[in-house]
Amino acid sequence: MNRVALYALPLLLVPVPEAFADIEIKARLKHLDGQERSEISYADDGSFDERDVKRKSRWESETLVTAELNPESEWRWSARLGYNARRTVDHSREYREDGSLKNDKTRTEWRQTPLLGLGLRRDLGSMLGGAAWSLRAYHDRFIDVHYRATSLAEDAKPIEGRGMGYETKLALQAEYPTPWYSLYLLPKVSIKHEQYSAWTNTARDDREKAEQELQYEARLWLDWIMPVAGWEMMFGPTWQLEDQAERKPGEAWEWENQEQWIGTLRLEYESPMPGFEMEIGAEHWLNGADRDDTRYRLELSYEF
């Protein structure tokens, strides 16, 4: 039995009291198709030094179980239990001026994260000319973040260690009708803070930096209720501002930020069978450091 099942098993085996009227299981799968990036560096005298070629591809899966604690209340609290696994193939090679390989630092990085958290939801109804206003928030603690690296190229450095962290997110969203039948406007704003502690890399006897990210996001999507039963299509732009920071133990945080626009296309399906939903989506980065990267997403959920 894998670790996801071990963490979720207590919630599934314990009899469900009335207070836990809604339990939902979500399985998410994401894929990053990163673009190859090439950069030439020069020595102090202006001569060619090396050409760095980098590319990342990533698979990420997450299983999340949520159970509402007070479904009859206006403020709905929920318990969250999940497990996230991320696998990144980090291609990193350095070439000489004649095109021959100088260094190969390619490696496969793994990050595995069990989490426990608390969620909050409040349905606000109609206001400001729109319907279905809602406020949602959650706070997740990363219990035991496990880092490691495999498939090391000749010049790649090993990774092995454990750390901790947390993620907090607050979002406000609504739904507005348009003059066109079955077409709705979906505004949403959110703020998310994610932080990982410094940890000891036992493979190199080195102390890795702590990391954090503060992300502001605003999006304005169109939602088309398709003529095929159960299907919806959502598409539109998303704006993001990310403040990222690193800190060595005992030193101050070093911050940098980047602004980016993302184009999104998402299909949702809600089956006639009560409780089952599916999402398929793609996000394409239009500018910024991740320009031309495309990220794909598949999500399956079942509520009972």
Side-chain angles (χ1 to χ4, degrees):
M1 182 179 294
N2 60 31
R3 295 182 68 180
V4 178
L6 286 174
Y7 279 103
L9 195 57
L11 276 182
L12 299 178
L13 294 182
V14 174
V16 180
E18 283 188 21
F20 292 90
D22 296 315
I23 294 181
E24 184 177 35
I25 300 177
K26 285 187 178 180
R28 299 187 182 103
L29 183 64
K30 301 177 184 178
H31 173 58
L32 163 65
D33 180 20
Q35 296 297 305
E36 183 175 281
R37 310 186 193 283
S38 180
E39 182 177 338
I40 296 176
S41 57
Y42 297 89
D44 294 338
D45 61 1
S47 62
F48 182 95
D49 182 22
E50 62 187 25
R51 180 170 64 93
D52 296 331
V53 178
K54 297 183 178 182
R55 180 178 180 271
K56 287 188 178 182
S57 59
R58 176 180 300 158
W59 286 94
E60 183 172 351
S61 65
E62 181 176 275
T63 300
L64 181 65
V65 180
T66 59
E68 285 199 344
L69 306 178
N70 55 342
E72 302 304 323
S73 173
E74 291 185 350
W75 293 92
R76 300 183 183 180
W77 293 91
S78 60
R80 296 164 56 89
L81 175 65
Y83 184 81
N84 179 283
R86 190 175 76 175
R87 174 184 178 271
T88 304
V89 180
D90 187 354
H91 301 272
S92 180
R93 296 182 176 92
E94 298 171 356
Y95 294 90
R96 301 182 182 89
E97 189 171 10
D98 62 3
S100 61
L101 183 63
K102 179 179 179 180
N103 287 304
D104 188 354
K105 301 179 181 179
T106 300
R107 66 188 180 192
T108 299
E109 301 174 359
W110 298 81
R111 191 189 71 191
Q112 296 165 290
T113 309
L115 61 91
L116 282 172
L118 195 63
L120 175 65
R121 173 176 173 174
R122 172 71 188 272
D123 293 328
L124 304 174
S126 300
M127 60 186 215
L128 300 178
W133 279 90
S134 67
L135 178 69
R136 305 186 186 198
Y138 66 80
H139 177 74
D140 290 338
R141 299 292 300 186
F142 304 148
I143 305 168
D144 178 23
V145 186
H146 183 201
Y147 305 91
R148 62 189 176 95
T150 60
S151 304
L152 302 178
E154 184 177 356
D155 305 298
K157 296 180 179 179
I159 295 175
E160 184 67 41
R162 294 181 180 272
M164 301 178 66
Y166 65 85
E167 180 179 288
T168 302
K169 185 174 182 178
L170 175 67
L172 181 65
Q173 61 187 46
E175 178 182 292
Y176 281 79
T178 70
W180 298 277
Y181 177 72
S182 299
L183 198 62
Y184 298 85
L185 202 59
L186 304 180
K188 180 179 180 179
V189 292
S190 65
I191 180 172
K192 182 176 71 174
H193 183 226
E194 184 179 57
Q195 183 167 324
Y196 291 89
S197 66
W199 53 281
T200 300
N201 187 346
T202 57
R204 303 204 313 263
D205 193 24
D206 192 14
R207 188 72 170 166
E208 299 290 339
K209 298 177 181 178
E211 299 178 349
Q212 68 169 310
E213 179 181 296
L214 188 60
Q215 182 189 88
Y216 306 90
E217 181 177 288
R219 72 189 196 193
L220 191 61
W221 293 359
L222 284 171
D223 180 15
W224 176 37
I225 310 299
M226 302 174 67
V228 183
W231 285 92
E232 295 182 40
M233 177 187 292
M234 288 171 284
F235 54 94
T238 299
W239 170 85
Q240 284 183 352
L241 177 64
E242 293 181 345
D243 290 330
Q244 299 172 332
E246 294 182 340
R247 180 177 67 179
K248 294 181 179 179
E251 298 184 5
W253 289 101
E254 298 179 2
W255 288 90
E256 63 177 20
N257 63 67
Q258 62 179 10
E259 182 181 3
Q260 53 204 11
W261 285 89
I262 304 165
T264 302
L265 175 65
R266 183 177 297 178
L267 286 170
E268 289 190 1
Y269 173 70
E270 183 174 351
S271 79
M273 179 179 65
F276 176 75
E277 294 183 8
M278 177 180 67
E279 291 184 11
I280 304 172
E283 298 174 323
H284 187 73
W285 266 244
L286 304 174
N287 66 339
D290 298 326
R291 182 177 179 176
D292 294 330
D293 283 359
T294 303
R295 303 181 187 182
Y296 303 95
R297 167 191 174 115
L298 171 66
E299 179 177 307
L300 305 175
S301 64
Y302 183 73
E303 184 176 335
F304 59 95

